[in-house]
Amino acid sequence: MEESLLVLIVDTRIQEPVLDWLLDYREDILFTSGRVDCHGVEHAALSDREQVSGSTPRLMVQLQVPLAEARRICAGLGAALPKAGIRYWIVPLLEQGLLGPSAGP
């Protein structure tokens, strides 16, 4: 089974529906999310404040899943939120592990 890292870049205005969809997709799925600054967005799509800073806030979600499942997640999210404009990357996960004792999930 080929493991992959699925990265989603989500407009913060729709982060709740995306996170809810992922949580409903599979209860045991582990993912991380955090705010990032997205650069290279079309200038006309930015607010005045974002044009000054040159970036726009986004939510980045990362999931370690098998390649086929990453594709199913993208297809499901695209069907559930067809106008969301979610950018994604699926990249091979070469290695993963745990450094030191675990204090949580």
Side-chain angles (χ1 to χ4, degrees):
M1 181 168 22
E2 185 179 354
E3 285 293 298
S4 66
L5 181 67
L6 172 59
V7 180
L8 304 171
I9 305 297
V10 179
D11 188 317
T12 55
R13 294 173 294 187
I14 60 158
Q15 70 183 31
E16 291 306 319
V18 170
L19 294 174
D20 288 345
W21 189 94
L22 289 169
L23 291 167
D24 288 342
Y25 171 74
R26 218 176 79 194
E27 288 184 13
D28 64 337
I29 198 164
L30 176 67
F31 62 90
T32 61
S33 65
R35 294 203 176 227
V36 296
D37 291 324
C38 189
H39 303 270
V41 178
E42 186 179 327
H43 193 70
L46 300 175
S47 70
D48 291 341
R49 184 178 58 83
E50 293 167 341
Q51 288 178 20
V52 171
S53 70
S55 66
T56 187
R58 292 287 186 259
L59 179 76
M60 180 168 49
V61 180
Q62 297 178 315
L63 307 92
Q64 176 190 337
V65 292
L67 177 59
E69 188 163 7
R71 291 179 174 147
R72 282 193 300 273
I73 290 169
C74 288
L77 267 174
L81 302 165
K83 296 181 181 182
I86 299 169
R87 181 170 301 279
Y88 72 93
W89 302 301
I90 299 174
V91 295
L93 186 63
L94 302 178
E95 188 172 334
Q96 66 87 27
L98 179 65
L99 304 173
S102 176

